[in-house]
Amino acid sequence: MLSIDKTTTSTEETSLYAKSLASAFNPGRIYGFRGEMASGKTTFIKGILSGLDFNGMVNSPTFTLINEYEANERVIHIDCYREKSISRWIQLGIIEYFNSN
């Protein structure tokens, strides 16, 4: 498992850094991002999506739990912060997301 610990100093820097990594992301793989609320995880996802030629609106899935984006590759952005129960995630269909790639 690869772990990257990178500190950026602005939303622009975070987005550009993520965009520079977009080509290294592999379709069908699962990537996890950890951080406190408002630490820049969605900004990072916006950068990844920008690097995958997605030009639409990107929102945090904090309240929707799951957002899907059709870029050069399909990106499923899941926020596990609010829902801690694995049985609830199974009810929501999380296994189908992992098996759909």
Side-chain angles (χ1 to χ4, degrees):
M1 177 188 319
L2 174 65
S3 178
I4 298 173
D5 185 2
K6 170 78 172 165
T7 301
T8 57
T9 58
S10 69
T11 56
E12 293 80 16
E13 184 183 354
T14 301
S15 186
L16 286 172
Y17 176 68
K19 185 175 182 177
S20 75
L21 296 176
S23 64
F25 278 70
N26 297 309
R29 300 292 303 267
I30 298 169
Y31 298 91
F33 301 90
R34 293 187 309 177
E36 298 297 320
M37 286 187 78
S39 63
K41 296 179 301 295
T42 297
T43 298
F44 191 88
I45 297 300
K46 287 178 184 180
I48 292 291
L49 285 163
S50 176
L52 296 173
D53 294 329
F54 183 79
N55 295 313
M57 179 68 81
V58 177
N59 294 310
S60 171
T62 297
F63 298 104
T64 59
L65 300 181
I66 301 170
N67 291 338
E68 296 184 47
Y69 303 98
E70 293 296 333
N72 287 347
E73 302 295 338
R74 182 173 173 224
V75 174
I76 302 168
H77 184 192
I78 300 173
D79 189 326
C80 298
Y81 182 81
R82 220 170 35 98
E83 183 56 64
K84 305 286 187 210
S85 168
I86 190 66
S87 62
R88 178 73 175 128
W89 280 109
I90 290 170
Q91 289 174 343
L92 291 168
I94 194 84
I95 293 171
E96 287 78 13
Y97 275 104
F98 292 132
N99 291 330
S100 68
N101 291 319

